[in-house]
Amino acid sequence: MNYDLVGSRVELEHLQSQRLVRTVARVYQKVPFYRKAMDAAGVSPEDIRSIHDLPKLPFTRKSDLRDSYPFGLFAVDMKKVVRIHASSGTTGRPTVVGYSRQDIETWSELMTRALKYAGVGEDDVIQIAYGYGLFTGGLGMHYGAEKLGASVIPISGGNTQRQIQLMQDFETTVLACTPSYALYIAETMEKLGVDPKDLKLRVGIFGAEPWTEEMRQEIQERLAIKAFDIYGLSEIMGPGVACECTNQDGLHLYEDHFIPEIIDPATGEQLPLGEVGELVITTVTKEALPLLRYRTGDITVLNAEKCSCGLPFLRMSKVMGRTDDMLIIRGVNVFPSQIEAVLLGLEDVEPHYQLVVDRKGALDDAELWVEVPAHISLDEVRRLEQLSKKIDHAIQSTLGIRLQVKLVEPKTIPRGAGKAQRVVDRRSLYKLQREDG
Ligand code: DLL
């Protein structure tokens, strides 16, 4: 069903409930993991009659996917699986996800919807600089962009000079990649003396990692484009679970396929609309890998206000951080995104930073590494001191904590085509060393 032009929440909820009931019955029957989990929670498929019964269902966690590596949670025969993706996973086994032909069709349709509402159409030339491969970014975008009828350049990530060359030669109008890579492309253009205003580029479809409103402004200015936020995760589908419309005011979460909830990550209790918490998603149309109440780990807030674009779906705010990214520094909860917002609000500060976290005693201790802008010479001790103080002061007055600011040489914080590593966590290293001996 196409909900693009249907405005009614009542109708939408009815559809969601119908699809939910069907999904629950199906996973109970097809996936031993869910049968066991539901039995253990004392809930049977008949108890689920509408979306209001969601809280009765048990959660699914990333560890459940890992524990059933590789295909244990699949609800269809491998014969019906036409695509497999996987997330690399920094620790342990990767998370493996599968798609039926219908799942690929749905995914393409949702990606088409995302692009369309971001103002992209068949006249556009889309350069897809997300990685192609097991990562869902490249191929996910690719199928949607093709279905839309745009001209697709499947360049994948990396080789930045070539990216810029092709933007010039092929008259690219839309760039799709991670926001940190977009910034790196902008930086490389500046180095090469390419003025983005001389290009045809007008739109960016950026996601796969958290980025702030301040980072959006920075990228928009430096690339002379409008930058849209797209959200997704492989477990649920890939890119295209939610995306901003041209209003750039929250990401419409495609509720005809994914039912969102916000919970308190500590207690698991569902929170009322408008409260900040962990996003939980139930898929209601996936065939190969349906997931009930999947804990995304992403912190956001949902907004039910009507949007002038006409889509009836709730909007999620930009992801504020992850439940496992939150640092507790001397008792204060801190997300890397808050630090990004402060840094980008300051003049003379480059948007390249890393938080190096360590454990001192029972508390997290963080050092904030920031690059010195190229126009300040490393010999100008006084200017460096002033810069360091300025950052220190801004962090302290906004977040209420002190971080040790460490200025590093220009271009020394790693840039890449994939997801930026904003937090270097040495606590796990310490833990591993302790476990080792
Ligand atoms: O990153 C899918 C994707 C590809 C989304 C391209 C958008 C564009 P995973 O590798 O499984 O999938 O990582 C999913 O990345 O749980 C979030 O923590 C984070 N993430 C994805 N999009 C955003 C976003 C892809 N727009 C994990 N803002 C998610 C903030 C994001 N975080």
Side-chain angles (χ1 to χ4, degrees), residues 62 87 130 135-138 141 177 205-211 229-235 238-240 251 296-298 318-322 419:
K62 201 178 187 82
S87 76
Y130 285 110
F135 176 54
T136 52
M141 282 273 166
C177 63
I205 307 286
F206 303 138
E209 65 185 11
W211 55 309
D229 195 355
I230 184 160
Y231 170 82
L233 58 167
S234 7
E235 297 91 311
L251 294 80
T296 65
D298 294 316
K318 275 176 133 354
V319 171
M320 298 165 186
R322 291 189 47 80
K419 304 186 188 224

PDB file of all heavy atoms in Angstrom, residues 62 87 130 135-138 141 177 205-211 229-235 238-240 251 296-298 318-322 419, ligand 1:
ATOM      1  N   LYS A  62      20.757  -6.783  19.864  1.00  0.00           N
ATOM      2  CA  LYS A  62      21.821  -7.118  18.916  1.00  0.00           C
ATOM      3  C   LYS A  62      22.467  -8.450  19.291  1.00  0.00           C
ATOM      4  O   LYS A  62      22.800  -9.262  18.428  1.00  0.00           O
ATOM      5  CB  LYS A  62      22.875  -6.002  18.909  1.00  0.00           C
ATOM      6  CG  LYS A  62      23.716  -5.984  17.669  1.00  0.00           C
ATOM      7  CD  LYS A  62      24.720  -4.838  17.696  1.00  0.00           C
ATOM      8  CE  LYS A  62      25.441  -4.724  16.387  1.00  0.00           C
ATOM      9  NZ  LYS A  62      24.749  -4.018  15.335  1.00  0.00           N
ATOM     10  N   SER A  87      27.056  -6.456   9.295  1.00  0.00           N
ATOM     11  CA  SER A  87      27.808  -5.328   9.859  1.00  0.00           C
ATOM     12  C   SER A  87      29.096  -5.891  10.413  1.00  0.00           C
ATOM     13  O   SER A  87      29.112  -6.990  10.962  1.00  0.00           O
ATOM     14  CB  SER A  87      26.988  -4.659  10.959  1.00  0.00           C
ATOM     15  OG  SER A  87      27.039  -5.472  12.114  1.00  0.00           O
ATOM     16  N   TYR A 130      28.644   5.978  -0.505  1.00  0.00           N
ATOM     17  CA  TYR A 130      28.602   5.036   0.625  1.00  0.00           C
ATOM     18  C   TYR A 130      29.309   3.789   0.144  1.00  0.00           C
ATOM     19  O   TYR A 130      29.312   3.496  -1.065  1.00  0.00           O
ATOM     20  CB  TYR A 130      27.160   4.661   0.971  1.00  0.00           C
ATOM     21  CG  TYR A 130      26.388   5.728   1.703  1.00  0.00           C
ATOM     22  CD1 TYR A 130      25.347   6.406   1.071  1.00  0.00           C
ATOM     23  CD2 TYR A 130      26.668   6.031   3.031  1.00  0.00           C
ATOM     24  CE1 TYR A 130      24.621   7.380   1.746  1.00  0.00           C
ATOM     25  CE2 TYR A 130      25.939   7.005   3.702  1.00  0.00           C
ATOM     26  CZ  TYR A 130      24.923   7.672   3.061  1.00  0.00           C
ATOM     27  OH  TYR A 130      24.209   8.631   3.722  1.00  0.00           O
ATOM     28  N   PHE A 135      28.193  -3.756   3.816  1.00  0.00           N
ATOM     29  CA  PHE A 135      27.535  -2.577   4.392  1.00  0.00           C
ATOM     30  C   PHE A 135      26.302  -2.261   3.543  1.00  0.00           C
ATOM     31  O   PHE A 135      26.338  -2.336   2.314  1.00  0.00           O
ATOM     32  CB  PHE A 135      28.529  -1.403   4.375  1.00  0.00           C
ATOM     33  CG  PHE A 135      27.960  -0.091   4.848  1.00  0.00           C
ATOM     34  CD1 PHE A 135      27.339   0.018   6.082  1.00  0.00           C
ATOM     35  CD2 PHE A 135      28.065   1.048   4.052  1.00  0.00           C
ATOM     36  CE1 PHE A 135      26.829   1.229   6.515  1.00  0.00           C
ATOM     37  CE2 PHE A 135      27.558   2.268   4.482  1.00  0.00           C
ATOM     38  CZ  PHE A 135      26.936   2.361   5.715  1.00  0.00           C
ATOM     39  N   THR A 136      25.207  -1.882   4.210  1.00  0.00           N
ATOM     40  CA  THR A 136      23.949  -1.676   3.486  1.00  0.00           C
ATOM     41  C   THR A 136      23.862  -0.326   2.761  1.00  0.00           C
ATOM     42  O   THR A 136      22.964  -0.133   1.935  1.00  0.00           O
ATOM     43  CB  THR A 136      22.753  -1.733   4.472  1.00  0.00           C
ATOM     44  OG1 THR A 136      23.025  -0.823   5.543  1.00  0.00           O
ATOM     45  CG2 THR A 136      22.537  -3.126   5.016  1.00  0.00           C
ATOM     46  N   GLY A 137      24.784   0.604   3.082  1.00  0.00           N
ATOM     47  CA  GLY A 137      24.686   1.960   2.555  1.00  0.00           C
ATOM     48  C   GLY A 137      24.671   2.031   1.036  1.00  0.00           C
ATOM     49  O   GLY A 137      23.756   2.603   0.430  1.00  0.00           O
ATOM     50  N   GLY A 138      25.684   1.471   0.399  1.00  0.00           N
ATOM     51  CA  GLY A 138      25.833   1.578  -1.052  1.00  0.00           C
ATOM     52  C   GLY A 138      24.678   0.944  -1.813  1.00  0.00           C
ATOM     53  O   GLY A 138      23.931   1.632  -2.531  1.00  0.00           O
ATOM     54  N   MET A 141      21.022   2.440  -1.118  1.00  0.00           N
ATOM     55  CA  MET A 141      20.783   3.694  -1.847  1.00  0.00           C
ATOM     56  C   MET A 141      20.631   3.414  -3.336  1.00  0.00           C
ATOM     57  O   MET A 141      19.802   3.994  -4.024  1.00  0.00           O
ATOM     58  CB  MET A 141      22.011   4.611  -1.715  1.00  0.00           C
ATOM     59  CG  MET A 141      22.117   5.298  -0.434  1.00  0.00           C
ATOM     60  SD  MET A 141      21.172   6.834  -0.565  1.00  0.00           S
ATOM     61  CE  MET A 141      21.095   7.233   1.150  1.00  0.00           C
ATOM     62  N   CYS A 177      26.598  10.036   1.043  1.00  0.00           N
ATOM     63  CA  CYS A 177      27.733   9.465   1.781  1.00  0.00           C
ATOM     64  C   CYS A 177      27.578   9.804   3.261  1.00  0.00           C
ATOM     65  O   CYS A 177      26.573  10.396   3.654  1.00  0.00           O
ATOM     66  CB  CYS A 177      29.060  10.006   1.253  1.00  0.00           C
ATOM     67  SG  CYS A 177      29.282  11.781   1.435  1.00  0.00           S
ATOM     68  N   ILE A 205      22.632  13.504   0.741  1.00  0.00           N
ATOM     69  CA  ILE A 205      21.812  12.569   1.519  1.00  0.00           C
ATOM     70  C   ILE A 205      22.783  11.853   2.451  1.00  0.00           C
ATOM     71  O   ILE A 205      23.464  10.901   2.062  1.00  0.00           O
ATOM     72  CB  ILE A 205      21.089  11.550   0.601  1.00  0.00           C
ATOM     73  CG1 ILE A 205      20.303  12.269  -0.505  1.00  0.00           C
ATOM     74  CG2 ILE A 205      20.191  10.622   1.412  1.00  0.00           C
ATOM     75  CD1 ILE A 205      19.024  12.957  -0.056  1.00  0.00           C
ATOM     76  N   PHE A 206      22.841  12.367   3.684  1.00  0.00           N
ATOM     77  CA  PHE A 206      23.904  11.936   4.579  1.00  0.00           C
ATOM     78  C   PHE A 206      23.379  11.193   5.801  1.00  0.00           C
ATOM     79  O   PHE A 206      22.404  11.621   6.415  1.00  0.00           O
ATOM     80  CB  PHE A 206      24.702  13.167   5.053  1.00  0.00           C
ATOM     81  CG  PHE A 206      25.277  13.987   3.918  1.00  0.00           C
ATOM     82  CD1 PHE A 206      25.229  15.379   3.970  1.00  0.00           C
ATOM     83  CD2 PHE A 206      25.851  13.376   2.815  1.00  0.00           C
ATOM     84  CE1 PHE A 206      25.763  16.143   2.938  1.00  0.00           C
ATOM     85  CE2 PHE A 206      26.389  14.134   1.778  1.00  0.00           C
ATOM     86  CZ  PHE A 206      26.346  15.524   1.837  1.00  0.00           C
ATOM     87  N   GLY A 207      24.034  10.123   6.161  1.00  0.00           N
ATOM     88  CA  GLY A 207      23.635   9.378   7.350  1.00  0.00           C
ATOM     89  C   GLY A 207      24.648   8.312   7.677  1.00  0.00           C
ATOM     90  O   GLY A 207      25.799   8.380   7.261  1.00  0.00           O
ATOM     91  N   ALA A 208      24.213   7.324   8.433  1.00  0.00           N
ATOM     92  CA  ALA A 208      25.021   6.182   8.884  1.00  0.00           C
ATOM     93  C   ALA A 208      25.860   6.494  10.113  1.00  0.00           C
ATOM     94  O   ALA A 208      26.507   5.618  10.672  1.00  0.00           O
ATOM     95  CB  ALA A 208      25.906   5.615   7.772  1.00  0.00           C
ATOM     96  N   GLU A 209      25.851   7.766  10.547  1.00  0.00           N
ATOM     97  CA  GLU A 209      26.569   8.141  11.773  1.00  0.00           C
ATOM     98  C   GLU A 209      25.914   9.405  12.323  1.00  0.00           C
ATOM     99  O   GLU A 209      25.271  10.149  11.573  1.00  0.00           O
ATOM    100  CB  GLU A 209      28.046   8.404  11.461  1.00  0.00           C
ATOM    101  CG  GLU A 209      28.249   9.603  10.554  1.00  0.00           C
ATOM    102  CD  GLU A 209      29.697   9.808  10.122  1.00  0.00           C
ATOM    103  OE1 GLU A 209      30.536   8.927  10.345  1.00  0.00           O
ATOM    104  OE2 GLU A 209      29.974  10.885   9.555  1.00  0.00           O
ATOM    105  N   PRO A 210      26.057   9.646  13.612  1.00  0.00           N
ATOM    106  CA  PRO A 210      25.443  10.846  14.176  1.00  0.00           C
ATOM    107  C   PRO A 210      26.125  12.105  13.668  1.00  0.00           C
ATOM    108  O   PRO A 210      27.341  12.118  13.462  1.00  0.00           O
ATOM    109  CB  PRO A 210      25.680  10.699  15.687  1.00  0.00           C
ATOM    110  CG  PRO A 210      26.260   9.367  15.907  1.00  0.00           C
ATOM    111  CD  PRO A 210      26.771   8.853  14.614  1.00  0.00           C
ATOM    112  N   TRP A 211      25.342  13.137  13.446  1.00  0.00           N
ATOM    113  CA  TRP A 211      25.881  14.457  13.093  1.00  0.00           C
ATOM    114  C   TRP A 211      24.914  15.496  13.590  1.00  0.00           C
ATOM    115  O   TRP A 211      23.700  15.268  13.643  1.00  0.00           O
ATOM    116  CB  TRP A 211      26.172  14.579  11.601  1.00  0.00           C
ATOM    117  CG  TRP A 211      25.038  14.278  10.646  1.00  0.00           C
ATOM    118  CD1 TRP A 211      24.236  13.167  10.647  1.00  0.00           C
ATOM    119  CD2 TRP A 211      24.591  15.073   9.539  1.00  0.00           C
ATOM    120  NE1 TRP A 211      23.334  13.216   9.606  1.00  0.00           N
ATOM    121  CE2 TRP A 211      23.539  14.380   8.905  1.00  0.00           C
ATOM    122  CE3 TRP A 211      24.997  16.304   9.013  1.00  0.00           C
ATOM    123  CZ2 TRP A 211      22.871  14.867   7.783  1.00  0.00           C
ATOM    124  CZ3 TRP A 211      24.342  16.784   7.885  1.00  0.00           C
ATOM    125  CH2 TRP A 211      23.296  16.068   7.289  1.00  0.00           C
ATOM    126  N   ASP A 229      19.257  14.454   6.340  1.00  0.00           N
ATOM    127  CA  ASP A 229      19.660  13.363   7.229  1.00  0.00           C
ATOM    128  C   ASP A 229      18.846  12.108   6.904  1.00  0.00           C
ATOM    129  O   ASP A 229      17.615  12.169   6.839  1.00  0.00           O
ATOM    130  CB  ASP A 229      19.401  13.799   8.685  1.00  0.00           C
ATOM    131  CG  ASP A 229      20.099  12.910   9.694  1.00  0.00           C
ATOM    132  OD1 ASP A 229      20.700  11.893   9.283  1.00  0.00           O
ATOM    133  OD2 ASP A 229      20.036  13.219  10.902  1.00  0.00           O
ATOM    134  N   ILE A 230      19.540  11.011   6.713  1.00  0.00           N
ATOM    135  CA  ILE A 230      18.856   9.728   6.478  1.00  0.00           C
ATOM    136  C   ILE A 230      19.321   8.732   7.525  1.00  0.00           C
ATOM    137  O   ILE A 230      20.502   8.674   7.858  1.00  0.00           O
ATOM    138  CB  ILE A 230      19.098   9.216   5.042  1.00  0.00           C
ATOM    139  CG1 ILE A 230      18.288   7.940   4.795  1.00  0.00           C
ATOM    140  CG2 ILE A 230      20.579   8.949   4.747  1.00  0.00           C
ATOM    141  CD1 ILE A 230      18.071   7.631   3.337  1.00  0.00           C
ATOM    142  N   TYR A 231      18.355   7.995   8.068  1.00  0.00           N
ATOM    143  CA  TYR A 231      18.662   7.069   9.164  1.00  0.00           C
ATOM    144  C   TYR A 231      18.294   5.641   8.776  1.00  0.00           C
ATOM    145  O   TYR A 231      17.348   5.425   8.003  1.00  0.00           O
ATOM    146  CB  TYR A 231      17.854   7.482  10.404  1.00  0.00           C
ATOM    147  CG  TYR A 231      17.879   6.492  11.543  1.00  0.00           C
ATOM    148  CD1 TYR A 231      18.955   6.456  12.434  1.00  0.00           C
ATOM    149  CD2 TYR A 231      16.839   5.576  11.715  1.00  0.00           C
ATOM    150  CE1 TYR A 231      18.980   5.537  13.481  1.00  0.00           C
ATOM    151  CE2 TYR A 231      16.862   4.664  12.770  1.00  0.00           C
ATOM    152  CZ  TYR A 231      17.934   4.653  13.652  1.00  0.00           C
ATOM    153  OH  TYR A 231      17.966   3.752  14.682  1.00  0.00           O
ATOM    154  N   GLY A 232      19.017   4.719   9.313  1.00  0.00           N
ATOM    155  CA  GLY A 232      18.655   3.321   9.124  1.00  0.00           C
ATOM    156  C   GLY A 232      19.670   2.437   9.809  1.00  0.00           C
ATOM    157  O   GLY A 232      20.707   2.911  10.266  1.00  0.00           O
ATOM    158  N   LEU A 233      19.349   1.182   9.907  1.00  0.00           N
ATOM    159  CA  LEU A 233      20.289   0.219  10.479  1.00  0.00           C
ATOM    160  C   LEU A 233      20.073  -1.125   9.796  1.00  0.00           C
ATOM    161  O   LEU A 233      18.944  -1.453   9.405  1.00  0.00           O
ATOM    162  CB  LEU A 233      20.156   0.107  12.002  1.00  0.00           C
ATOM    163  CG  LEU A 233      18.847  -0.280  12.647  1.00  0.00           C
ATOM    164  CD1 LEU A 233      19.091  -0.630  14.107  1.00  0.00           C
ATOM    165  CD2 LEU A 233      17.837   0.844  12.581  1.00  0.00           C
ATOM    166  N   SER A 234      21.150  -1.855   9.615  1.00  0.00           N
ATOM    167  CA  SER A 234      21.053  -3.092   8.846  1.00  0.00           C
ATOM    168  C   SER A 234      20.039  -4.059   9.437  1.00  0.00           C
ATOM    169  O   SER A 234      19.295  -4.713   8.705  1.00  0.00           O
ATOM    170  CB  SER A 234      22.404  -3.783   8.715  1.00  0.00           C
ATOM    171  OG  SER A 234      23.396  -3.187   9.458  1.00  0.00           O
ATOM    172  N   GLU A 235      20.013  -4.165  10.767  1.00  0.00           N
ATOM    173  CA  GLU A 235      19.112  -5.140  11.386  1.00  0.00           C
ATOM    174  C   GLU A 235      17.665  -4.904  10.948  1.00  0.00           C
ATOM    175  O   GLU A 235      16.898  -5.841  10.757  1.00  0.00           O
ATOM    176  CB  GLU A 235      19.180  -5.026  12.926  1.00  0.00           C
ATOM    177  CG  GLU A 235      20.538  -5.337  13.515  1.00  0.00           C
ATOM    178  CD  GLU A 235      21.400  -4.074  13.640  1.00  0.00           C
ATOM    179  OE1 GLU A 235      21.506  -3.323  12.648  1.00  0.00           O
ATOM    180  OE2 GLU A 235      21.957  -3.849  14.709  1.00  0.00           O
ATOM    181  N   GLY A 238      18.369  -1.149   6.578  1.00  0.00           N
ATOM    182  CA  GLY A 238      19.502  -0.429   6.002  1.00  0.00           C
ATOM    183  C   GLY A 238      19.065   1.017   5.873  1.00  0.00           C
ATOM    184  O   GLY A 238      18.113   1.431   6.553  1.00  0.00           O
ATOM    185  N   PRO A 239      19.694   1.832   5.018  1.00  0.00           N
ATOM    186  CA  PRO A 239      19.259   3.221   4.888  1.00  0.00           C
ATOM    187  C   PRO A 239      17.812   3.281   4.424  1.00  0.00           C
ATOM    188  O   PRO A 239      17.372   2.421   3.658  1.00  0.00           O
ATOM    189  CB  PRO A 239      20.192   3.780   3.814  1.00  0.00           C
ATOM    190  CG  PRO A 239      20.701   2.601   3.055  1.00  0.00           C
ATOM    191  CD  PRO A 239      20.768   1.493   4.059  1.00  0.00           C
ATOM    192  N   GLY A 240      17.067   4.292   4.911  1.00  0.00           N
ATOM    193  CA  GLY A 240      15.690   4.442   4.444  1.00  0.00           C
ATOM    194  C   GLY A 240      14.658   4.002   5.472  1.00  0.00           C
ATOM    195  O   GLY A 240      13.500   3.793   5.149  1.00  0.00           O
ATOM    196  N   LEU A 251      13.192  13.501  11.041  1.00  0.00           N
ATOM    197  CA  LEU A 251      13.225  12.428  10.040  1.00  0.00           C
ATOM    198  C   LEU A 251      11.923  11.633  10.095  1.00  0.00           C
ATOM    199  O   LEU A 251      11.620  11.014  11.125  1.00  0.00           O
ATOM    200  CB  LEU A 251      14.409  11.486  10.288  1.00  0.00           C
ATOM    201  CG  LEU A 251      15.818  12.048  10.111  1.00  0.00           C
ATOM    202  CD1 LEU A 251      16.239  12.850  11.348  1.00  0.00           C
ATOM    203  CD2 LEU A 251      16.807  10.930   9.855  1.00  0.00           C
ATOM    204  N   THR A 296      17.388  -0.451  19.206  1.00  0.00           N
ATOM    205  CA  THR A 296      18.382   0.110  18.288  1.00  0.00           C
ATOM    206  C   THR A 296      19.601   0.655  19.024  1.00  0.00           C
ATOM    207  O   THR A 296      20.671   0.769  18.444  1.00  0.00           O
ATOM    208  CB  THR A 296      17.788   1.270  17.464  1.00  0.00           C
ATOM    209  OG1 THR A 296      17.470   2.346  18.363  1.00  0.00           O
ATOM    210  CG2 THR A 296      16.543   0.852  16.718  1.00  0.00           C
ATOM    211  N   GLY A 297      19.413   1.033  20.292  1.00  0.00           N
ATOM    212  CA  GLY A 297      20.514   1.680  21.022  1.00  0.00           C
ATOM    213  C   GLY A 297      20.630   3.156  20.683  1.00  0.00           C
ATOM    214  O   GLY A 297      21.442   3.866  21.268  1.00  0.00           O
ATOM    215  N   ASP A 298      19.817   3.640  19.758  1.00  0.00           N
ATOM    216  CA  ASP A 298      19.902   5.046  19.346  1.00  0.00           C
ATOM    217  C   ASP A 298      18.966   5.914  20.187  1.00  0.00           C
ATOM    218  O   ASP A 298      17.807   5.572  20.390  1.00  0.00           O
ATOM    219  CB  ASP A 298      19.545   5.187  17.859  1.00  0.00           C
ATOM    220  CG  ASP A 298      20.568   4.499  16.980  1.00  0.00           C
ATOM    221  OD1 ASP A 298      21.773   4.657  17.252  1.00  0.00           O
ATOM    222  OD2 ASP A 298      20.176   3.770  16.035  1.00  0.00           O
ATOM    223  N   LYS A 318      17.104  14.241  15.085  1.00  0.00           N
ATOM    224  CA  LYS A 318      18.427  13.718  14.767  1.00  0.00           C
ATOM    225  C   LYS A 318      18.862  12.830  15.931  1.00  0.00           C
ATOM    226  O   LYS A 318      18.560  13.144  17.082  1.00  0.00           O
ATOM    227  CB  LYS A 318      19.423  14.878  14.629  1.00  0.00           C
ATOM    228  CG  LYS A 318      19.437  15.514  13.252  1.00  0.00           C
ATOM    229  CD  LYS A 318      20.379  16.693  13.254  1.00  0.00           C
ATOM    230  CE  LYS A 318      21.338  16.730  12.087  1.00  0.00           C
ATOM    231  NZ  LYS A 318      21.426  15.665  11.150  1.00  0.00           N
ATOM    232  N   VAL A 319      19.532  11.748  15.629  1.00  0.00           N
ATOM    233  CA  VAL A 319      19.983  10.852  16.696  1.00  0.00           C
ATOM    234  C   VAL A 319      20.970  11.617  17.592  1.00  0.00           C
ATOM    235  O   VAL A 319      21.899  12.248  17.109  1.00  0.00           O
ATOM    236  CB  VAL A 319      20.647   9.587  16.101  1.00  0.00           C
ATOM    237  CG1 VAL A 319      21.308   8.755  17.189  1.00  0.00           C
ATOM    238  CG2 VAL A 319      19.622   8.758  15.334  1.00  0.00           C
ATOM    239  N   MET A 320      20.689  11.565  18.906  1.00  0.00           N
ATOM    240  CA  MET A 320      21.527  12.357  19.820  1.00  0.00           C
ATOM    241  C   MET A 320      22.756  11.595  20.268  1.00  0.00           C
ATOM    242  O   MET A 320      23.716  12.165  20.774  1.00  0.00           O
ATOM    243  CB  MET A 320      20.695  12.720  21.053  1.00  0.00           C
ATOM    244  CG  MET A 320      19.496  13.559  20.706  1.00  0.00           C
ATOM    245  SD  MET A 320      18.350  13.570  22.085  1.00  0.00           S
ATOM    246  CE  MET A 320      16.989  14.449  21.348  1.00  0.00           C
ATOM    247  N   GLY A 321      22.692  10.299  20.147  1.00  0.00           N
ATOM    248  CA  GLY A 321      23.820   9.471  20.564  1.00  0.00           C
ATOM    249  C   GLY A 321      23.336   8.050  20.702  1.00  0.00           C
ATOM    250  O   GLY A 321      22.190   7.744  20.354  1.00  0.00           O
ATOM    251  N   ARG A 322      24.202   7.186  21.199  1.00  0.00           N
ATOM    252  CA  ARG A 322      23.796   5.805  21.404  1.00  0.00           C
ATOM    253  C   ARG A 322      23.860   5.490  22.887  1.00  0.00           C
ATOM    254  O   ARG A 322      24.650   6.080  23.615  1.00  0.00           O
ATOM    255  CB  ARG A 322      24.721   4.861  20.633  1.00  0.00           C
ATOM    256  CG  ARG A 322      24.562   4.964  19.125  1.00  0.00           C
ATOM    257  CD  ARG A 322      25.341   3.870  18.440  1.00  0.00           C
ATOM    258  NE  ARG A 322      25.136   2.568  19.032  1.00  0.00           N
ATOM    259  CZ  ARG A 322      24.072   1.775  18.798  1.00  0.00           C
ATOM    260  NH1 ARG A 322      23.139   2.162  17.967  1.00  0.00           N
ATOM    261  NH2 ARG A 322      23.972   0.612  19.390  1.00  0.00           N
ATOM    262  N   LYS A 419      32.276   5.482   8.391  1.00  0.00           N
ATOM    263  CA  LYS A 419      31.794   6.154   9.595  1.00  0.00           C
ATOM    264  C   LYS A 419      32.990   6.721  10.361  1.00  0.00           C
ATOM    265  O   LYS A 419      33.990   6.039  10.537  1.00  0.00           O
ATOM    266  CB  LYS A 419      31.059   5.153  10.480  1.00  0.00           C
ATOM    267  CG  LYS A 419      29.917   4.451   9.760  1.00  0.00           C
ATOM    268  CD  LYS A 419      29.116   3.582  10.710  1.00  0.00           C
ATOM    269  CE  LYS A 419      28.112   2.757   9.943  1.00  0.00           C
ATOM    270  NZ  LYS A 419      26.794   2.721  10.551  1.00  0.00           N
TER     271      LYS A 419
HETATM  272  O1  DLL B   1      24.502   2.750   8.863  1.00  0.00           O
HETATM  273  C1  DLL B   1      22.642   2.136   7.467  1.00  0.00           C
HETATM  274  C2  DLL B   1      22.718   3.443   6.771  1.00  0.00           C
HETATM  275  C3  DLL B   1      23.477   3.581   5.632  1.00  0.00           C
HETATM  276  C4  DLL B   1      21.988   4.525   7.219  1.00  0.00           C
HETATM  277  C5  DLL B   1      23.540   4.768   4.968  1.00  0.00           C
HETATM  278  C6  DLL B   1      22.015   5.735   6.551  1.00  0.00           C
HETATM  279  C7  DLL B   1      22.794   5.870   5.426  1.00  0.00           C
HETATM  280  P1  DLL B   1      24.535   0.081  10.225  1.00  0.00           P
HETATM  281  O2  DLL B   1      25.919   0.011   9.677  1.00  0.00           O
HETATM  282  O3  DLL B   1      23.886  -1.174  10.650  1.00  0.00           O
HETATM  283  O4  DLL B   1      23.567   0.693   9.154  1.00  0.00           O
HETATM  284  O5  DLL B   1      24.569   1.120  11.420  1.00  0.00           O
HETATM  285  C8  DLL B   1      23.387   1.493  12.058  1.00  0.00           C
HETATM  286  O6  DLL B   1      24.301   3.683  12.542  1.00  0.00           O
HETATM  287  O7  DLL B   1      21.962   2.200  14.772  1.00  0.00           O
HETATM  288  C9  DLL B   1      22.897   4.396  14.275  1.00  0.00           C
HETATM  289  O8  DLL B   1      23.605   4.261  15.487  1.00  0.00           O
HETATM  290  C10 DLL B   1      23.845   4.845  13.194  1.00  0.00           C
HETATM  291  N1  DLL B   1      23.134   5.694  12.237  1.00  0.00           N
HETATM  292  C11 DLL B   1      22.633   5.370  11.039  1.00  0.00           C
HETATM  293  N2  DLL B   1      22.074   6.462  10.433  1.00  0.00           N
HETATM  294  C12 DLL B   1      22.224   7.487  11.307  1.00  0.00           C
HETATM  295  C13 DLL B   1      21.868   8.864  11.299  1.00  0.00           C
HETATM  296  C14 DLL B   1      23.678   1.923   8.551  1.00  0.00           C
HETATM  297  N3  DLL B   1      21.266   9.445  10.270  1.00  0.00           N
HETATM  298  C15 DLL B   1      23.680   2.525  13.127  1.00  0.00           C
HETATM  299  N4  DLL B   1      22.168   9.594  12.394  1.00  0.00           N
HETATM  300  C16 DLL B   1      22.427   3.049  13.769  1.00  0.00           C
HETATM  301  C17 DLL B   1      22.793   9.048  13.459  1.00  0.00           C
HETATM  302  C18 DLL B   1      22.893   6.995  12.454  1.00  0.00           C
HETATM  303  N5  DLL B   1      23.165   7.776  13.505  1.00  0.00           N
END
